[in-house]
Amino acid sequence: MTDSPAIIGWSHSAFGKTTEPDVQALLSNVTGPALQHAGVAPGDVDGVFVGVFNGGFSRQGFEAGLVGAGEPALASIPAVRTENACATGSSALFAALDFVQSGRGRIALVAGAEKMTAAEPEVVNDVLLTASYREEEEQAGSFAGVFGDIARTYFERYGDHSDALARIAAKNHRNGVGNPYAHLRKDLGFEFCAEVSDRNPLVADPLRRTDCSLVSDGAAALVVAAPEVAATAPRAIGWRGRAHANDHLPLSRRDDVLAFAGARAAFTRAMSDAGADLPALDLLETHDCFTIAELLQYEAFELAAPGKGAALLEEGGTERGGDLPVNPSGGLKSKGHPIGATGISQHIMASLQLTGEAGDMQVPGAELAAVFNMGGVAVANYCSVLERIR
């Protein structure tokens, strides 16, 4: 991508049930360290872009101002908060990229956070439902219920694929053991993920607890800079391609709810922008809010034909040693899903791979990585194709 900004530094908190009381504290834990990692002073920052979903998790709004409240040296820097459901972090990042690429600024700080675990379960459930089209889909009872309906539709068309979903869960939890930031660092095993039990009950038939991402607190931040700044930075991860595509919010208006047409459009455009095909990718960090979502993404991205994602899993194609490792970080399934931080976290996980700093998560020789982050049921879809340029 011509004159594309680059990631030159980052910071990532541990995800999970944290002791930080609020979003302000979570953000302050990552903004300063991200600037330090990039070798940038607060006064060098031209814009701050904040991703927080909130939606009722907190009575405190105006999250753009919280960065300066927690880090006074940033209080006078122009700041804005974006929200785009579960793609909130990527929406903040893409806004920052446009800001830098347009020439309005040379350096932007992007930070995302969510404090979810302090809310009562019924509040969490209600807040997450706002990422659906409530007028028609609220009867599903929960956001998991919306995806449970999608999974049932898939099973009705292609047969019972419960084992395929369990393989995705087991893969991602196995990968997450090596991720020091992950909420749940435990290899649960296929058998546990496949069996409905007291410890792994049905949440929204046919989805079990292990098919659903975790409710987590956490924060992540990165610094993006213009090419002339990145040229002298300690490191630089650049965009070969990126795209943002949308689909209908009401699922009833889609031709095929299983097609994930918006996700396909974003991925296809980003790969075309990058001038790359699937064999060129070394890894994919993708949005497994529910295991059925990852399965449908395999098919939307043409890793597998419609209804054939299970075969890809059985062949090990998405394992760390497979043709295209998917979610070597453990994904949302293991790492957790603090909504505003997720898209930023995914880009950091890919950057760690490309700099060879992913530790026990490392995919050997990783040179080209794709990141896919979606809001709602593949309504707001963001895809990046990243490579190391310095």
Side-chain angles (χ1 to χ4, degrees):
M1 181 180 289
T2 304
D3 297 328
S4 174
I7 299 169
I8 63 169
W10 54 79
S11 178
H12 198 299
S13 79
F15 285 0
K17 187 171 184 178
T18 65
T19 57
E20 284 81 3
D22 51 31
V23 164
Q24 177 180 322
L26 287 164
L27 288 170
S28 67
N29 281 349
V30 295
T31 51
L35 294 175
Q36 292 167 14
H37 190 239
V40 169
D44 296 328
V45 176
D46 299 306
V48 177
F49 295 81
V50 181
V52 177
F53 177 61
N54 196 341
F57 285 127
S58 170
R59 294 180 63 210
Q60 174 64 62
F62 202 3
E63 289 88 348
L66 291 181
V67 170
E71 190 77 35
L74 293 168
S76 63
I77 309 299
V80 66
R81 172 245 182 165
T82 71
E83 181 275 311
N84 219 359
C86 299
T88 287
S90 288
S91 73
L93 175 56
F94 274 45
L97 294 173
D98 290 344
F99 170 76
V100 173
Q101 197 161 7
S102 72
R104 293 182 61 84
R106 297 169 71 245
I107 298 174
L109 172 65
V110 186
E114 215 72 57
K115 180 69 179 181
M116 302 174 70
T117 66
E120 294 297 323
E122 61 271 17
V123 173
V124 173
N125 186 65
D126 190 64
V127 169
L128 295 180
L129 261 176
T130 66
S132 68
Y133 188 58
R134 297 189 74 142
E135 182 177 331
E136 296 179 0
E137 295 154 21
E138 191 169 40
Q139 67 272 17
S142 65
F143 201 54
V146 174
F147 274 90
D149 289 344
I150 291 169
R152 284 195 297 276
T153 300
Y154 190 94
F155 288 11
E156 288 165 4
R157 187 179 302 179
Y158 299 118
D160 188 330
H161 281 68
S162 297
D163 280 0
L165 301 188
R167 285 191 175 91
I168 290 171
K171 167 183 69 71
N172 291 349
H173 281 292
R174 184 166 56 250
N175 288 346
V177 173
N179 187 343
Y181 306 108
H183 186 155
L184 183 57
R185 299 181 67 187
K186 185 174 183 180
D187 184 354
L188 298 178
F190 169 75
E191 290 76 14
F192 179 83
C193 295
E195 183 180 353
V196 176
S197 64
D198 289 343
R199 295 176 61 202
N200 189 27
L202 285 172
V203 173
D205 191 16
L207 301 180
R208 300 144 295 204
R209 181 177 289 165
T210 50
D211 293 308
C212 308
S213 58
L214 299 159
V215 173
S216 311
D217 309 328
L222 50 78
V223 179
V224 296
E228 64 270 20
V229 177
T232 59
R235 71 200 61 75
I237 305 298
W239 271 261
R240 276 268 297 271
R242 65 180 173 103
H244 171 200
N246 264 48
D247 204 347
H248 293 286
L249 174 60
L251 300 181
S252 63
R253 298 182 192 172
R254 300 189 190 181
D255 294 334
D256 184 355
V257 74
L258 301 183
F260 269 28
R264 180 191 295 268
F267 186 84
T268 301
R269 291 176 197 168
M271 292 291 287
S272 176
D273 198 15
D277 56 10
L278 282 173
L281 287 178
D282 295 305
L283 66 116
L284 167 64
E285 284 289 336
T286 202
H287 193 103
D288 59 320
C289 51
F290 300 94
T291 52
I292 185 64
E294 182 170 323
L295 185 66
L296 289 174
Q297 287 157 25
Y298 295 166
E299 298 173 13
F301 303 160
E302 298 185 347
L303 278 67
K308 301 297 184 181
L312 181 67
L313 289 157
E314 290 165 5
E315 295 162 1
T318 59
E319 296 283 349
R320 282 179 58 191
D323 291 338
L324 180 59
V326 176
N327 287 331
S329 70
L332 285 58
K333 194 72 254 330
S334 173
K335 178 159 56 75
H337 185 22
I339 297 173
T342 287
I344 299 168
S345 168
Q346 290 178 300
H347 285 81
I348 293 173
M349 293 298 109
S351 296
L352 287 168
Q353 293 283 355
L354 296 173
T355 57
E357 299 173 315
D360 292 339
M361 300 180 284
Q362 187 68 51
V363 174
E367 295 182 351
L368 195 67
V371 174
F372 175 74
N373 181 207
M374 73 182 190
V377 185
V379 178
N381 305 276
Y382 294 83
C383 187
S384 296
V385 180
L386 302 173
E387 63 182 349
R388 185 175 185 176
I389 57 177
R390 181 176 171 81

